[in-house]
Amino acid sequence: MYAQMVQSEATKDDPEKLAAFQARIDRDEKIEPKDWMPEGYRKTLIRQIGQHAHSEIVGQLPEGNWITRAPTLERKAILLAKVQDEAGHGLYLYCATETLGVSRDELTEMLLDGRMKYSSIFNYPTLNWADIGAVGWLVDGAAIINQVPLQRTSFGPYSRAMIRVCKEESFHARQGFDAIRKMAEGTPEQKKMAQNAVDRLWFPALMMFGPSDKDSTHSAQSMAWKIKMNTNDELRQKFVDQTVPQIEFLGLDLPDDGIKWNEERGHYDYSDPDWSEFFDVIKGNGPCNVDRLAARNKAWKDGAWVRDGLLAHARKKAAAKVAAE
Amino acid sequence: MSAATSNEAFTQFLLRMGDNTLILGHRVSEWCGHSPVLEEDIALANTALDLIGQTQMWLGLAGEIEGKGQTADNLAFLRDVWDFRNLLLVEMPNGDFGQTLMRQFLFDAWHSIQLGRLMSSSDERVAAIAEKTSKEVAYHLERSADTVVGLGDGTEESHARMQDALDYLWPYVGEMFQSDAVDAEMVAKGIAPDPASLREEYDALVGRILATATLTIPDTAFGHKGGRTGAMHTEHLGHLLTQMQWLQRAYPGSEW
């Protein structure tokens, strides 16, 4: 996942062209990079796919926080494979964004100076080993619910990237559930870690779907363009309905007293997250915002000599090749 | 030589192989999310993943040969500094990206030659692990050599940093080629080659790449030692273990 509160751009294109474009989308045709598209569609997609890519990159940090402390060789290997996948997702999402006419370096600069966002979830810390299980199970679980419908999104490169990403995410969610199950069935200390992780990450996971529909003003255009396929609340409900029985299966306490099966609706009722906390995190005041951006900025700055060096070498080689011809 | 002694030497040899990959895999994994460019994040995670997978094989076999019921995890997470048998080179800190890649290259070059020899080991389990892991290591070497060349022969700054990295790490290369009684026994049984016999091929390979990288090998024959025998590790290893082993030590007997 990991695109929240993506504001749709208004569009001022020729009404005839717009109507023809909308008709293509309504016929479920895929829009490809060289096709005509409204400027608003292009800009909204850059924002959404770019934010998604950034989330994959920043998302390496909370998981990387535990790679060096993973408790067994197998868990370490699984976590490395997962983080490697996330970086790979970032790579092909950046490629999808580049087809819209913005370079990866430009997107990176916008992440680093705060003009672009990444998912709020990665501004929360991973504090015990069960968090790594919970991140796979809850965070990747929420991402899958968001991304499965996006496989049918109207923009071809995004749709194809989502199909690939979803396959890997379901492996992530399964390994996460397996890791936390081991803890929930383990010693009292391990069970305490598992409960602590669920209690702490439950509401931040719900926030991943973005604000409540009644406060989400930017959805209509994106839904018409099939950039957004479902409302925030629909997806959030799906996540709650899927996850509550899993928490019960693990023998853990539910993280919210408001969770109750509602026979009439055929869904679980649940408490809203604290939306003022959500907007604080979005504004940069989450527990880890400053550290996460500082880590990415440091990596980029410290790596400048490497990028420059490799580029200089590639140019020398190209020049030598030309000279030899 | 008695069977017990023989197993002891064989176990030591396997710990040397497995501890190298474990400690280097750990070091490389420290880069997660912090590398200079996204492709490097992917490549470093991939390298670390290969090395940890190789560790499972080598330490798994070490536990089996030792015959005291130790699993690969027990060996990785419950031994202290003096029990580790890795080369000092692999426990050296990451430093900057150049130092990490120079360390990787100096190790990969040795590792690929060693695995090539081990593919004809008299012990078929060793030969099988060597066969499987040599493919991964061939890729590690190709990548680390390319990066050393690219950065050595890049900008003035990248060249200077790579030369610094080489100067810092070169005194840890000699340990790869030192022999002791364990090695003598491995040679006698046809399990592994004499470490000294790898030197010529290593010098040729490393010399060729470093020359292409326009880097100068330090003019010293001095080599630090003590890692592969366990006699004297660097101060760095203990800190690495406090992190790597923390959960297993703090919550003993748990299953993860």
Side-chain angles (χ1 to χ4, degrees), chain B residues 13-14 16-18 20-21 50-51 54-55 57-58 107-123 125-141 191-193 198 201-202:
Chain B
F13 165 75
L14 293 165
R16 288 173 179 180
M17 294 302 295
N20 278 337
T21 52
D50 286 346
L51 291 170
Q54 296 174 10
T55 304
M57 291 186 256
W58 289 121
F107 178 76
D108 290 343
W110 172 82
H111 201 197
S112 73
I113 298 167
Q114 169 80 337
L115 292 173
R117 303 282 179 94
L118 291 180
M119 278 161 69
S120 48
S121 170
S122 62
D123 185 283
R125 292 161 299 187
V126 170
I129 297 175
E131 168 90 34
K132 185 171 188 308
T133 57
S134 63
K135 294 185 188 103
E136 295 168 349
V137 170
Y139 168 71
H140 298 174
L141 175 62
I191 293 176
L198 273 54
E201 196 178 337
Y202 184 87

Side-chain angles (χ1 to χ4, degrees), chain A residues 71 73 75 104 190 296 307, chain B residues 33 36 39 73 248 255-256:
Chain A
L73 294 169
R75 293 286 175 204
R104 201 211 302 180
Q190 286 177 302
R296 289 309 307 166
R307 298 189 299 275
Chain B
E39 283 80 352
D73 281 338
Q248 289 267 4
E255 286 193 36
W256 305 93

Side-chain angles (χ1 to χ4, degrees), chain A residues 255-290:
Chain A
D256 164 20
D257 292 338
I259 294 176
K260 278 188 190 64
W261 178 251
N262 183 325
E263 194 66 48
E264 205 175 308
R265 291 200 308 125
H267 292 291
Y268 284 97
D269 291 337
Y270 60 93
S271 308
D272 261 343
D274 176 354
W275 290 116
S276 65
E277 176 183 315
F278 172 74
F279 288 108
D280 270 339
V281 175
I282 293 284
K283 273 183 233 147
N285 295 321
C288 299
N289 294 59
V290 173

Side-chain angles (χ1 to χ4, degrees), chain A residues 50 54 57 94 102-117 293 296-297 299-301 304 307-308, chain B residues 36:
Chain A
H54 295 328
I57 303 311
Y94 281 129
V102 55
S103 75
R104 201 211 302 180
D105 281 358
E106 288 174 273
L107 291 165
T108 301
E109 295 292 343
M110 287 194 273
L111 167 69
L112 296 180
D113 67 18
R115 274 177 292 158
M116 284 185 83
K117 303 284 181 205
L293 264 191
R296 289 309 307 166
N297 272 290
W300 190 246
K301 190 166 157 269
R307 298 189 299 275
D308 291 347

Side-chain angles (χ1 to χ4, degrees), chain A residues 38-310:
Chain A
E39 218 25 55
Y41 178 85
R42 181 189 302 276
K43 282 188 182 159
T44 307
L45 273 174
I46 288 175
R47 200 172 289 163
Q48 179 167 335
I49 309 175
Q51 188 183 117
H52 189 159
H54 295 328
S55 299
E56 302 282 1
I57 303 311
V58 178
Q60 294 181 97
L61 297 171
E63 296 193 297
N65 184 39
W66 278 92
I67 284 182
T68 55
R69 290 178 290 172
T72 68
L73 294 169
E74 192 185 359
R75 293 286 175 204
K76 195 194 284 276
I78 291 171
L79 188 53
L80 276 164
K82 179 175 188 300
V83 174
Q84 188 190 355
D85 284 350
E86 315 283 7
H89 297 172
L91 193 59
Y92 39 85
L93 286 164
Y94 281 129
C95 291
T97 321
E98 284 183 322
T99 66
L100 293 160
V102 55
S103 75
R104 201 211 302 180
D105 281 358
E106 288 174 273
L107 291 165
T108 301
E109 295 292 343
M110 287 194 273
L111 167 69
L112 296 180
D113 67 18
R115 274 177 292 158
M116 284 185 83
K117 303 284 181 205
Y118 52 90
S119 176
S120 56
I121 189 72
F122 300 119
N123 289 313
Y124 288 86
T126 50
L127 299 178
N128 81 59
W129 171 249
D131 285 22
I132 293 305
V135 165
W137 165 44
L138 298 177
V139 175
D140 290 324
I144 290 168
I145 286 176
N146 195 280
Q147 286 164 16
V148 163
L150 285 174
Q151 295 179 96
R152 294 180 284 110
T153 190
S154 61
F155 186 55
Y158 193 26
S159 160
R160 290 188 286 274
M162 284 300 101
I163 290 168
R164 241 177 111 175
V165 167
C166 280
K167 280 189 192 138
E168 293 178 350
E169 293 289 4
S170 51
F171 151 73
H172 297 170
R174 277 201 304 277
Q175 68 78 30
F177 187 75
D178 178 66
I180 203 160
R181 186 176 55 80
K182 202 88 182 171
M183 311 277 290
E185 294 168 353
T187 64
E189 291 88 349
Q190 286 177 302
K191 193 165 180 180
K192 188 175 165 187
M193 290 180 214
Q195 186 68 55
N196 178 269
V198 171
D199 289 347
R200 216 166 357 89
L201 289 167
W202 172 256
F203 284 111
L206 293 189
M207 292 176 194
M208 289 173 67
F209 299 95
S212 168
D213 293 348
K214 58 184 187 296
D215 302 317
S216 180
T217 50
H218 311 299
S219 294
Q221 179 63 78
S222 285
M223 289 185 77
W225 278 336
K226 295 186 186 166
I227 291 174
K228 190 178 169 88
M229 310 297 285
N230 304 85
T231 72
N232 295 349
D233 285 337
E234 280 168 13
L235 294 171
R236 190 165 16 247
Q237 182 70 59
K238 197 164 181 218
F239 175 76
V240 171
D241 289 349
Q242 170 184 302
T243 310
V244 168
Q246 294 172 339
I247 300 174
E248 285 168 341
F249 174 85
L250 291 173
L252 296 176
D253 296 333
L254 293 172
D256 164 20
D257 292 338
I259 294 176
K260 278 188 190 64
W261 178 251
N262 183 325
E263 194 66 48
E264 205 175 308
R265 291 200 308 125
H267 292 291
Y268 284 97
D269 291 337
Y270 60 93
S271 308
D272 261 343
D274 176 354
W275 290 116
S276 65
E277 176 183 315
F278 172 74
F279 288 108
D280 270 339
V281 175
I282 293 284
K283 273 183 233 147
N285 295 321
C288 299
N289 294 59
V290 173
D291 286 347
R292 298 284 188 248
L293 264 191
R296 289 309 307 166
N297 272 290
K298 184 174 189 306
W300 190 246
K301 190 166 157 269
D302 289 354
W305 72 269
V306 176
R307 298 189 299 275
D308 291 347
L310 293 175

Side-chain angles (χ1 to χ4, degrees), chain B:
Chain B
M1 200 163 286
S2 73
T5 315
S6 166
N7 278 354
E8 206 178 302
F10 193 13
T11 303
Q12 287 294 308
F13 165 75
L14 293 165
L15 289 176
R16 288 173 179 180
M17 294 302 295
D19 287 345
N20 278 337
T21 52
L22 173 63
I23 301 302
L24 186 60
H26 182 99
R27 278 288 185 232
V28 174
S29 78
E30 291 172 358
W31 272 97
C32 175
H34 302 283
S35 82
V37 66
L38 186 49
E39 283 80 352
E40 291 301 335
D41 267 323
I42 297 173
L44 288 168
N46 188 42
T47 303
L49 177 58
D50 286 346
L51 291 170
I52 297 304
Q54 296 174 10
T55 304
Q56 289 175 294
M57 291 186 256
W58 289 121
L59 293 188
L61 185 55
E64 198 182 313
I65 299 297
E66 189 191 37
K68 293 180 186 164
Q70 298 271 56
T71 62
D73 281 338
N74 292 154
L75 292 170
F77 295 99
L78 299 174
R79 283 178 301 153
D80 206 339
V81 167
W82 53 45
D83 298 320
F84 276 79
R85 295 291 178 266
N86 57 281
L87 298 164
L88 297 177
L89 176 73
V90 299
E91 67 194 51
M92 299 309 283
N94 284 340
D96 66 8
F97 183 79
Q99 188 172 312
T100 294
L101 264 290
M102 183 60 79
R103 183 187 62 200
Q104 189 71 38
F105 168 66
L106 294 173
F107 178 76
D108 290 343
W110 172 82
H111 201 197
S112 73
I113 298 167
Q114 169 80 337
L115 292 173
R117 303 282 179 94
L118 291 180
M119 278 161 69
S120 48
S121 170
S122 62
D123 185 283
E124 44 188 59
R125 292 161 299 187
V126 170
I129 297 175
E131 168 90 34
K132 185 171 188 308
T133 57
S134 63
K135 294 185 188 103
E136 295 168 349
V137 170
Y139 168 71
H140 298 174
L141 175 62
E142 187 186 327
R143 184 182 155 271
S144 63
D146 279 354
T147 312
V148 164
V149 168
L151 293 174
D153 183 32
T155 59
E156 207 174 305
E157 180 181 7
S158 72
H159 175 84
R161 282 177 183 261
M162 295 313 281
Q163 187 63 54
D164 286 349
L166 180 59
D167 293 348
Y168 179 61
L169 294 170
W170 188 255
Y172 296 92
V173 164
E175 189 186 10
M176 297 167 179
F177 310 104
Q178 285 165 357
S179 312
D180 61 9
V182 169
D183 299 299
E185 195 174 330
M186 291 302 98
V187 172
K189 294 200 175 312
I191 293 176
D194 176 7
S197 72
L198 273 54
R199 181 96 217 203
E200 198 180 327
E201 196 178 337
Y202 184 87
D203 283 344
L205 169 62
V206 167
R208 179 169 54 79
I209 297 295
L210 293 177
T212 315
T214 70
L215 297 170
T216 310
I217 294 176
D219 186 18
T220 170
F222 176 75
H224 292 286
K225 58 186 182 203
R228 69 197 298 278
T229 61
M232 192 163 71
H233 280 277
T234 68
E235 288 181 344
H236 305 296
L237 184 60
H239 292 281
L240 185 154
L241 297 186
T242 59
Q243 198 172 58
M244 185 174 85
Q245 299 182 335
W246 177 71
L247 274 174
Q248 289 267 4
R249 299 283 193 181
Y251 302 97
S254 309
E255 286 193 36
W256 305 93

